[in-house]
Amino acid sequence: MAMRMTTDARIKIAVQKSGRLTDHSLELLVRCGLSYSRGKDQLICYGENMPVDVLLVRDDDIPRLVQEDICDLGIVGLNIIEERRLELISQGEKELFSEVGTLDFGQCRLSFGLPAGVPFEGPQQLQGKRIATTYPRILADYLKRNGVEAQIVAFSGAVEIAPSLGKADLICDLVSSGSTLRAHQLYEAATILESRATMIQTPKALVGEKARWLQRLLLRIQGVLQVKESKYIMLHAPRSALKAITALLPGSESPTIIPLEGRDDKVAVHAVCRENVFWETLEQLKEAGASSMLVLPVEKMLA
Ligand code: ATP
Ligand code: ZN
């Protein structure tokens, strides 16, 4: 049976229970080495090999759970974080959650959707208009920053039907492909927030063993994010072209140069590239004199 440590020494991470962020969030934790069993009620995943448990909740509740220190970490969209942050600030709250890092999923934009055929000529055009949204605070903040007064019509969902119901002139909603907008004869006119899944942390300082585990987990997350793009590249290079060739390696730090047995004119170059290596780069390397090129995926990385 797996050893279970005392509850308060365990890190609690809030993750969306079922939705667009759920699979990516759990996959990220698994790639950090976490194996878990899901509780009977399906609301908690108990970490079996690390003192880390995952609470499965509605995404809208995640900032509050973290801000109130019920969870130590949370994974949620920047759109939800910003809306809640502005709400807390307006209530005079000082102890907010902190953002620890942007993740590589959940990309979307909070944008204005205008009826097809109505051109968008800038924020001034919004003066006096009725705008339907589920993000009233982010929108109000944008309008204020642009010196525009408009009527915000708060919706709790299905914002895109507001214009055809005659309840709004335009909408401000999350968009990724734009197909929902198109299906409602709207188009994406301008973006006010670029959003991604983001990791947030409790405002309370962690201590002792728990703080050490958190540090470990955060380093592993960084490693996982880096690895996805990273490649290990090996090639042969004429000594005379070494400078030109290493300059072409994308996002690499000092490469390893290895002599080749019986060859004074050529060396082997090994390097970790922190960006993807595209065919174009390989072609340029070849032109610069490189040969025997190999590009390998990187499995794990720890700085
Ligand atoms: P919950 O039941 O947890 O409240 P939800 O319906 O509010 O779920 P989802 O639709 O699963 O939430 O979206 C979760 C997050 O995914 C959004 O807050 C946003 O950050 C991100 N996201 C990415 N693309 C889109 C999109 N096209 N539309 C809406 N959200 C998107
Ligand atoms: Zn939600």
Side-chain angles (χ1 to χ4, degrees):
M1 208 185 116
M3 191 177 69
R4 192 149 293 166
M5 302 172 206
T6 56
T7 342
D8 57 343
R10 298 180 69 84
I11 293 171
K12 289 191 254 347
I13 308 182
V15 162
Q16 189 185 23
K17 182 170 192 267
S18 118
R20 296 174 201 260
L21 305 180
T22 309
D23 291 348
H24 290 289
S25 303
L26 292 173
E27 189 203 308
L28 173 67
L29 296 172
V30 166
R31 292 189 61 155
C32 288
L34 181 70
S35 58
Y36 58 81
S37 60
R38 208 150 166 168
K40 278 211 177 61
D41 52 9
Q42 305 278 303
L43 297 177
I44 302 185
C45 300
Y46 297 101
E48 290 176 331
N49 57 340
M50 296 191 220
V52 174
D53 296 328
V54 181
L55 265 70
L56 300 165
V57 296
R58 282 202 58 195
D59 67 346
D60 313 71
D61 294 333
I62 294 175
R64 186 182 53 80
L65 288 168
V66 175
Q67 190 244 341
E68 293 178 357
D69 196 39
I70 296 164
C71 291
D72 306 289
L73 294 174
I75 299 175
V76 62
L78 188 64
N79 48 306
I80 305 266
I81 295 174
E82 272 302 294
E83 185 68 18
R84 179 76 181 146
R85 193 178 64 80
L86 292 166
E87 183 183 6
L88 288 167
I89 290 174
S90 74
Q91 293 166 350
E93 184 63 60
K94 298 254 162 15
E95 281 221 311
L96 305 186
F97 37 78
S98 56
E99 281 170 34
V100 286
T102 303
L103 306 172
D104 63 345
F105 54 89
Q107 287 90 338
C108 59
R109 305 173 296 282
L110 186 60
S111 294
F112 289 120
L114 262 67
V118 179
F120 183 70
E121 281 138 13
Q124 290 312 318
Q125 191 184 339
L126 304 171
Q127 183 70 34
K129 293 285 191 311
R130 295 167 306 156
I131 312 173
T133 189
T134 45
Y135 296 90
R137 292 187 181 82
I138 300 178
L139 176 57
D141 184 62
Y142 170 87
L143 294 174
K144 194 168 155 218
R145 279 188 282 115
N146 285 279
V148 173
E149 281 185 33
Q151 187 189 335
I152 298 174
V153 187
F155 263 62
S156 53
V159 176
E160 59 283 350
I161 60 169
S164 54
L165 291 179
K167 293 200 184 298
D169 303 304
L170 66 149
I171 68 169
C172 177
D173 198 16
L174 292 180
V175 184
S176 47
S177 69
S179 56
T180 309
L181 288 183
R182 276 193 298 281
H184 292 83
Q185 286 78 51
L186 300 167
Y187 77 99
E188 184 178 3
T191 295
I192 68 171
L193 179 79
E194 300 269 356
S195 182
R196 274 169 178 246
T198 302
M199 174 87 79
I200 50 173
Q201 184 180 342
T202 165
K204 297 271 185 301
L206 300 183
V207 290
E209 192 63 6
K210 200 167 168 179
R212 276 191 291 279
W213 265 104
L214 182 78
Q215 210 43 45
R216 260 175 106 169
L217 190 63
L218 294 179
L219 277 175
R220 289 187 189 183
I221 290 172
Q222 261 175 29
V224 169
L225 295 176
Q226 271 177 8
V227 149
K228 285 201 179 158
E229 289 277 280
S230 295
K231 295 282 177 277
Y232 193 78
I233 183 164
M234 306 195 279
L235 54 84
H236 289 177
R239 275 190 190 279
S240 56
L242 201 49
K243 215 167 169 187
I245 285 173
T246 51
L248 282 170
L249 294 173
S252 75
E253 283 142 36
S254 32
T256 310
I257 313 289
I258 309 161
L260 287 171
E261 188 65 21
R263 296 291 297 261
D264 286 336
D265 57 331
K266 272 193 176 182
V267 288
V269 178
H270 290 193
V272 173
C273 296
R274 291 181 189 252
E275 295 162 33
N276 227 331
V277 180
F278 295 103
W279 282 110
E280 289 74 10
T281 311
L282 294 182
E283 286 158 5
Q284 286 167 0
L285 286 165
K286 192 170 167 65
E287 241 161 70
S291 57
S292 307
M293 287 177 271
L294 268 182
V295 181
L296 309 174
V298 174
E299 161 94 11
K300 286 197 177 64
M301 195 182 260
L302 194 65

